[in-house]
Amino acid sequence: MPEDTKSDAIDLVVTACEKFSSSSRAARMIKEEMDKKFGAPFHVLVEEGFGFEISYIQSRTCYMFLE
Amino acid sequence: MPPTAAIKSKQGKRGTKTTAETDDLDEWKKSKQLIKPKDQLELSDAELKEMVEKQLSTVNPQIPDSLVQFSFSDGEFVPIPPPGSLILVFHSEGTLLYKDSQEARKQLIEEGIDPDTYFEQTSETEFGTEVSETPDESVTTAEEEQTEDEKPEGEEGEKPEGEEGAQGEKPAEEKHEEEHDDDEGEAEDVETQETQTIPPPMANFTSNVNQWIIYDGYQQDWEQQQREKELERERREKDKAPVGRIQIIKKSTGKQQLSEIVQAKMFSCWRVLERMVNLNTYDDIAKDFRYWDDPADEFREEEGTLLPLWKFSYNKTKKHVVTDLEWNPYYYDLFAVCFGHVDYTKPMSWGAVCLYTLKNPSFPDYICTTASSVMCVDIHPKYPYMILLGLYDGSIEIFNIQETCKEPAHRSNNVTDKHRGIVWEVKWVSNLPDGELNFYSVSIDGKVNHWIVMENTMVVTTIITLFLDKEPVSGPDGTLLKAKVFFSACASCVKFHPKNSTIFLVGTEDGLIYKCSTEYSSAYLLTYKAHQMPVYRIDFNSYNTDIFISCSGDWRIKIWEDNRLGNVTTLKLSPNLRLPCKAPKKQQHLDQWTLQCMKLDRILSLVREPVTLTLPPDTSGIEES
């Protein structure tokens, strides 16, 4: 992701995960916020212990670990 | 009065009424006795029938007329215009434009319709005639998302025409028109354009997310951080040795998050490292410095050898001339070098004082730059961080290098408190009883100044203005004039008597040495006719304070004894000699002055070994080291 959107996204993720204990609620918040800010559909996965395969628009994805 | 009102409405605007008509109506309606007031005006019938016209006008009789206002500019009462009788009840801004106006035409052009043809159409529409030509297609800019062109609203003008269906001459258009939607035009050439954007680059991404994968991710990140730190460290160490202090500081402040304390610690680390590297590099020379002794010296009488050890230079001052050297009285390896210029034809616009230490010959430890060339320096014997500079333009600066090298702690006021010429020499003296620092300075304007350093400023008093004693001049009429002609002699050096701090020696540019006292400002205690050229330096013998030495530009060094008007010994050297300084150590490192250095062999032979000159017995045993 470009730098500014990346930093925004990271902040958003951190706040969402702190606020909501359930992953799906947090994911929902993140998705809605990202859609609002940056437009276009976003997929958000917040989980531990899963496998995935996704097609994504390049330079618009962020894969991060959060403690 | 209802009857009167009825009359008014009947007759419209003309508000005529007569008492006669009123009475008639009254009679007709109610046929009662007419009640007349007591002061009723009696008129004849003819007069009663007379029509009296009344007119309503818009003049408001209640408005005061002849209003005046005092005008201060004219100084009199001036009439003001009467207030208007217009009341604004309602105001509304609309968006409609008259279609024939300039603005409307502009709008139409913007939309792409030719206004003239538009008006033709509309006027023809009104009259039901055929339109000769259709407005041109206006093709909007083909953006990628747009799929079809739309005709602008000019079409709508044609719509009523088309819809009327009365024109048989344009069957083709109407056909098209019926097929299209309402908003789209029915004109001939409708083009459809289609584009599609390039889809954004897509990619697929597959992964698992598990506990161990997360852990691995964190580990990798940590390792990478460590690697980065190491790389930085290696880079720094590589660039250590040849690079000067300043560049090292720049590299070490790479990360902005380093706090001040950390930076200071880094700085001291750098310094230690730099010293270590220098030590290793110059190890041989350091050993020579301590222990070198040429055994051949024993066989050479009154001569020694001089081994050049170090060369100190600073690349910014490469063009400068070294004007003064001084050892620091406290740190035995630190010495100050002044950079300036002497040649009048090659002036330098700035000067510097660099303090070098023998432990680091590659770069000066402290650098203080000044606005003009530095001509002389003195380091305070008790406070070895107070550096006193005399500058070419006559001002004096004191640097406190403990605090900062960037700007002087004190500076002489540029207008009043400075010398009018080059300051040739400055000298600290012992503290005043109050503990304030003070010093003396001499310059070519002939003044010997005494300065006291206060909080923010320096207070100066002129001790003595040097003058020349001239012989009485023979006047025009034969009498001997005994005028004391005051030529101010230019002082070029000063030296205080080590035992008696009120007595000092001043050397001038004429070659004379004056022995003066700080208490008397008008007379010299003694005058020595020393040299033919300017006296550059005077120094006292450390052991026998009656003896002093002077050197001058006439290539001679002379040794003097107090109270003896003739000199004791003369030494002649070939080049200019400026500075026989008495260094605290045996070796002198005057490498910047290479000329002087080489030809100083002879004098240094005296320096290194105890010397016995052909002197009268009471002054034997001089050691000029």
Side-chain angles (χ1 to χ4, degrees), chain B residues 381-524:
Chain B
K382 285 224 183 61
Y383 308 108
Y385 46 85
M386 296 300 279
I387 314 279
L388 174 61
L389 306 176
L391 301 182
Y392 194 89
D393 61 359
S395 50
I396 309 236
E397 291 188 357
I398 302 182
F399 276 86
N400 184 343
I401 51 177
Q402 229 180 29
E403 288 180 16
T404 173
C405 277
K406 297 240 170 55
E407 60 161 32
H410 298 94
R411 197 165 202 274
S412 68
N413 189 335
N414 261 344
V415 177
T416 52
D417 285 345
K418 71 175 205 154
H419 284 284
R420 288 196 177 75
I422 305 175
V423 178
W424 276 116
E425 185 139 11
V426 285
K427 276 273 178 288
W428 288 107
V429 287
S430 50
N431 280 1
L432 295 180
D434 288 342
E436 281 144 8
L437 306 175
N438 56 346
F439 61 93
Y440 287 86
S441 65
V442 294
S443 83
I444 54 171
D445 62 357
K447 290 195 165 52
V448 178
N449 282 348
H450 176 225
W451 306 69
I452 302 175
V453 180
M454 307 284 222
E455 299 285 316
N456 284 337
T457 174
M458 304 198 280
V459 176
V460 64
T461 38
T462 303
I463 295 296
I464 187 168
T465 307
L466 302 171
F467 57 86
L468 294 175
D469 250 337
K470 283 267 192 194
E471 298 287 323
V473 180
S474 54
D477 50 355
T479 56
L480 283 177
L481 290 174
K482 225 180 150 208
K484 228 184 196 170
V485 184
F486 273 93
F487 289 104
S488 61
C490 313
S492 48
C493 60
V494 71
K495 187 74 189 186
F496 275 81
H497 197 280
K499 295 268 170 57
N500 187 351
S501 63
T502 56
I503 308 234
F504 60 92
L505 294 171
V506 178
T508 68
E509 299 225 339
D510 302 320
L512 304 168
I513 299 181
Y514 298 115
K515 180 172 163 192
C516 314
S517 165
T518 51
E519 280 138 28
Y520 308 113
S521 68
S522 58
Y524 301 128

Side-chain angles (χ1 to χ4, degrees), chain B residues 56-160:
Chain B
L56 295 177
S57 71
T58 57
V59 175
N60 185 354
Q62 293 184 336
I63 298 175
D65 60 353
S66 314
L67 293 174
V68 288
Q69 193 182 43
F70 189 75
S71 149
F72 286 93
S73 56
D74 296 334
E76 59 183 11
F77 286 100
V78 293
I80 51 174
S85 36
L86 180 68
I87 301 173
L88 186 61
V89 176
F90 175 68
H91 171 81
S92 157
E93 298 208 1
T95 54
L96 301 175
L97 289 172
Y98 186 54
K99 68 179 178 188
D100 270 341
S101 68
Q102 271 300 102
E103 279 221 45
R105 293 179 86 84
K106 260 198 264 176
Q107 258 190 13
L108 286 175
I109 292 172
E110 271 174 39
E111 287 171 5
I113 314 167
D114 186 14
D116 297 322
T117 50
Y118 174 70
F119 288 135
E120 265 184 41
Q121 287 163 34
T122 47
S123 58
E124 283 167 356
T125 313
E126 285 170 21
F127 298 121
T129 54
E130 187 181 42
V131 174
S132 51
E133 60 183 12
T134 59
D136 289 335
E137 299 272 347
S138 59
V139 181
T140 56
T141 56
E143 295 173 64
E144 289 176 87
E145 279 81 44
Q146 218 170 350
T147 52
E148 274 190 346
D149 279 358
E150 285 186 334
K151 283 216 96 193
E153 296 118 337
E155 310 292 337
E156 291 179 38
E158 284 180 287
K159 240 205 295 187

Side-chain angles (χ1 to χ4, degrees), chain B residues 103 128 132 137 155 246 282 328 355 368 399 422 526 532 539 575:
Chain B
E103 279 221 45
S132 51
E137 299 272 347
E155 310 292 337
I246 294 175
Y282 294 106
N328 193 306
L355 277 86
C368 315
F399 276 86
I422 305 175
L526 208 56
Q532 273 77 46
D539 206 357

Side-chain angles (χ1 to χ4, degrees), chain A:
Chain A
M1 259 194 189
E3 276 305 318
D4 50 348
T5 54
K6 189 200 278 190
S7 52
D8 274 349
I10 293 176
D11 291 336
L12 190 60
V13 167
V14 171
T15 45
C17 289
E18 282 171 358
K19 263 170 86 173
F20 302 104
S21 53
S22 116
S23 317
S24 68
R25 289 291 338 260
R28 181 187 308 172
M29 179 195 159
I30 296 169
K31 177 198 164 37
E32 282 167 0
E33 289 291 319
M34 296 296 278
D35 281 351
K36 254 192 275 170
K37 277 195 202 164
F38 304 113
F42 266 89
H43 300 293
V44 179
L45 283 117
V46 181
E47 193 42 79
E48 192 179 319
F50 62 95
F52 60 91
E53 155 125 25
I54 58 169
S55 310
Y56 67 99
I57 296 172
Q58 272 180 0
S59 79
R60 290 278 183 274
T61 197
C62 180
Y63 175 56
M64 54 186 273
F65 294 132
L66 176 66
E67 237 173 294

